Amino acid sequence: MKLIKRKSNNAFDKSTIDNISKKFHLYPEIIELLFMRNIDSEKKIAQYLHPTFNDLHDPFLLSDMDKVVEKVRCAIDENKKILVFGDYDVDGVSATAILIKYFNDKGVNAEHFMPNRYIDGYGLSCEAIDKIKNTYAPDLIITVDCGISCYQEVEYAKSLGIDVVVTDHHDIPDVLPNCLTLNAKLPNQAYPFHEICGTGMAFKLVQALEGIDYAKKYLPIVAIATIADIVPLQDENRAMVTLGLKDMKNAPKGILRLLSKLDIKHPQATDISYKLAPKLNASGRLGDADKSFELYMTEDDAKIDELISTILEMNSQRQELCNTVYDDCKKILESSALINQRVICLYSDTWDSGILGIVAARLCEEYYRPTFLFSDVDGLLTGSGRSIEGVNIHSCLKKTQDILESFGGHTMAAGLKLKVENFEQFKKNMETILQQDFSNETFIPQKTYDMDLDVNKITKDFVKQLDVLEPIGNENPRPRFSIKFARANATLMKQYPNHLTMNLNNISAVGFNFGKYKDLMNSINTKEAIVELQLDVYHGHESSKMFLKQVIADKKLVADKNKVLADYFSEILCNTSTSNMNDVIRYNENDLYDVLQNFDDVFGTLFVVNTLDTYNKFCSHPIIAKKVSSYNYKTIFEDKGHNAFVLNPTLKNNFRNFNNIIFLDPIINESYIATIKNQSKAKIFVPQNEVNLDIFAHNLSFERAICGIYYKGICKAIEKSPQLNGINELFEKVKQNVPNSNLMQMIFCIKIFNEIGVLNYSFKDLHLCIKENKNVHTNLENSHTYTNLRKIQEKNILEINR
């Protein structure tokens, strides 16, 4: 994992920042954030903080706008039949709603059509045109949020006597439709901003037709769509969203009722993107975008309540479908070795195509690989792809388009279709493209942040002032800060143990899916965390809150030496039957340099140490330091195949995604290796020298009375729960019954009690299971572990006394 500080294109000095911060009554850090976003003058800052209608560009700067206005006015004057053809996502539905509202307002009986993704597919198609012709017989079709790639479809419509106007915002194809077209991305036009969404384009058309004083009533709808479609919240988009959110009280009645149902009183951009938009999108994803469209249009209270109930039910169904597909994918991926793969490609005939993009985005972020998911319907795969920073997924698809039925999209996301018999070839082609055209470093996960921040500067007032950056979204993200800290009071959420909460410097923090970081958070090691800050309001009380986005431990490890030794010693408890150890590569110290040299600098190698001395010796080793970006204690946090360095990894770690596992300390018990081999196909390297058991023996008591106390403590601990979540859970229970208990002593006692038969332990799915045998009576000396270690201790005592 790399933490990368965003670079600024602007040079600025402290005195300039301080002067401007005083003028605007903002913290210098916030002015610096604005400078980093190219808001680098007093005029730009004033415009950024307080957008007005003057920041909206002249719609007639768009190519063809004057001609489109003339055509629409003529159609209205001549009472021609107009049909608005929209996409089925929030952007397309919102754009359709604006134009239909406008035509209704003008007394024009315009119709609309939004394709069903399962029946009609995406965008304008000849089949959809036939359906429209037979049902509505329009004279003019106006597309919104689609159509720019539909040369043949437009020609087909024209052959049926239907005129077409295309309004769209997607990337420009090689061949444009031969009709009037509005798109801010068209080359050689005077329009100064290229990133307005489909709804923004519909708004510009209304603005051109009637002027801004009339069109501004549609800005709440524009704000919703602009946020939902994840276009850059810069320039005109920022102005339209800001003005629209301020006027949200004038949003359509159904939208206001849904916001109220979601308990959103004063909606901000994040409320739209995370709460409102997914609900509005759900209907289109499940094949009936008209439900969301009707919510924009109707004024009837009963109808609104019915629509909201249906939309929320659809959203719940959408969430269930997403979770099902995600769980299916995880099962496949967790049983696969991803180490040599740069792309994830999966398909199923049980997956719903409407939600694949959501799941692909989630997996892409989690595994940091371009991801394609497909739904198989009668041998035709319909899929969605998502990409990582630095990999233009659309360009990659172009290189294998000969086996695709269709594809479209942009840098980070794409939709595509291919025949099921071409799937393996597609997967192979994508793998080849990604391996040949991109360096391995491209696939190292990255988390960017804006600024290093002292935790002591995180005050309520500072967090409150961050709201001046609203509306937050694409290209105007919520700022991320890097903070450094040592111990934090972290606990797992009771009902959601995958998540954790913690308190740092009296600031509460939440880490979603950070449960495995709990022990690290509570350690005294220095950590660097990327966080977002937000004002939390509870029962009228305001406080600062942090949201964890990434945590990395400093490679300089501070840990209790005896605790580390106990973790190392716990290897003796591995009781998996020993597998064939002939293929384990044993090396001597003179060979180690050659062993370390022969591996990739990014992928595939896990370096394992077991003592603090070895950790400190090798964590800064020049070869290892070059190859490793993740230093871990017990838990391998980055386990998707990137090189890692770990002290005493538990057997619950994922070893599957490593090609090579290099132990830098000797192995105590070969069964430990066997357990790893059962999970991983990695080449395993171990030192030839044996473990020096002296380092353990002097920490142990061999007194029968002491061992008896531990026996009682262990039996008491397993009385109600013979299956435990590992050694540490057992130790926590034993500590309640054995004062001043010692982890290594407990491990030692479990081992010898097992050998003499008074206890039996085993590991089931890596859970520790212990059973007491009450009828067995024997001596401790019958344990070879007891006798061997006692001899070592006695020998050491004799040597000391000499």
Side-chain angles (χ1 to χ4, degrees), residues 219-236:
L219 281 172
I221 299 177
V222 177
I224 292 169
T226 300
I227 295 165
D229 216 52
I230 320 180
V231 290
L233 290 188
Q234 298 174 330
D235 198 281
E236 187 172 28

Side-chain angles (χ1 to χ4, degrees), residues 11 113 145 154 379 412 643 739 797:
F113 182 90
D145 191 32
V154 168
M412 301 298 285
N643 292 348
I797 292 172

Side-chain angles (χ1 to χ4, degrees), residues 93 127 398 409 431 445 473 486 526 634 731 752:
V93 170
E127 292 78 9
K398 275 188 175 180
E431 191 67 53
T526 302
K634 298 177 74 171
F731 185 56
I752 62 177

Side-chain angles (χ1 to χ4, degrees), residues 24 119 123 262 311 329-331 367 370 448 492 508 518 531 544 558 593 627 699 703 766 771 778:
F24 286 93
I119 298 170
L262 299 174
I311 286 170
C329 292
K330 286 290 287 184
K331 285 177 185 175
Y367 288 87
T448 57
L492 300 180
S508 66
K518 174 179 170 283
V531 300
S544 302
V558 181
Y593 181 85
K627 294 176 183 289
N699 286 285
E703 293 182 25
L766 300 181
K771 181 181 178 182
T778 186

Side-chain angles (χ1 to χ4, degrees), residues 638-770:
E638 302 300 328
D639 61 356
K640 304 300 187 294
H642 304 90
N643 292 348
F645 188 87
V646 60
L647 172 62
N648 286 325
T650 70
L651 291 173
K652 289 189 176 182
N653 282 293
N654 179 10
F655 297 97
R656 186 176 294 106
N657 285 322
F658 295 102
N659 285 332
N660 311 286
I661 301 175
I662 303 173
F663 288 85
L664 299 171
D665 280 304
I667 299 302
I668 295 176
N669 183 353
E670 289 188 345
S671 289
Y672 180 80
I673 297 291
T675 305
I676 294 174
K677 287 181 67 180
N678 288 338
Q679 183 191 139
S680 172
K681 295 181 180 179
K683 290 181 180 178
I684 295 178
F685 299 76
V686 297
Q688 287 181 348
N689 52 311
E690 295 183 354
V691 176
N692 178 11
L693 294 176
D694 293 22
I695 61 176
F696 306 115
H698 77 275
N699 286 285
L700 302 174
S701 170
F702 296 85
E703 293 182 25
R704 184 179 181 86
I706 297 295
C707 293
I709 291 171
Y710 275 90
Y711 178 78
K712 291 178 181 177
I714 292 167
C715 291
K716 185 77 174 173
I718 64 173
E719 214 169 45
K720 294 181 180 178
S721 179
Q723 180 169 301
L724 301 126
N725 191 23
I727 291 295
N728 287 326
E729 184 182 348
L730 175 62
F731 185 56
E732 291 301 315
K733 291 178 180 292
V734 169
K735 280 197 299 185
Q736 298 171 17
N737 303 301
V738 181
N740 303 315
S741 52
N742 174 284
L743 177 60
M744 191 180 298
Q745 184 73 35
M746 185 196 77
I747 294 168
F748 172 62
C749 287
I750 293 172
K751 183 66 174 176
I752 62 177
F753 294 153
N754 182 74
E755 288 178 357
I756 64 177
V758 297
L759 286 181
N760 292 123
Y761 72 84
S762 61
F763 287 91
K764 183 179 180 182
D765 296 328
L766 300 181
H767 285 82
L768 176 63
C769 304
I770 301 182

Side-chain angles (χ1 to χ4, degrees), residues 51-53 55-57 98 191 193 195-204 207 212 215-216 218-227 231-248 471:
T52 69
F53 291 109
D55 297 316
L56 305 186
H57 302 308
I98 284 179
Y191 204 74
F193 184 62
E195 297 295 338
I196 55 178
C197 66
T199 302
M201 190 59 64
F203 171 80
K204 300 310 290 187
Q207 182 187 356
I212 190 59
K216 65 183 181 184
Y218 298 125
L219 281 172
I221 299 177
V222 177
I224 292 169
T226 300
I227 295 165
V231 290
L233 290 188
Q234 298 174 330
D235 198 281
E236 187 172 28
N237 281 344
R238 178 176 173 80
M240 291 191 293
V241 169
T242 303
L243 296 168
L245 290 177
K246 283 181 178 178
D247 194 38
M248 194 56 74

Side-chain angles (χ1 to χ4, degrees), residues 75 150 187 199 206 210 328 349 353 358 382 387-388 393 405 438 464 469 515 558 592 603 647 704 721-722 782 792:
C150 296
T199 302
V206 175
E210 302 295 338
D328 287 351
D349 58 7
S353 62
I358 300 173
T382 300
S387 195
I388 60 175
I393 200 172
E405 298 301 301
F438 300 93
K464 217 169 186 177
L469 300 176
V558 181
L592 182 58
F603 279 103
L647 172 62
R704 184 179 181 86
S721 179
N782 290 331
I792 291 171

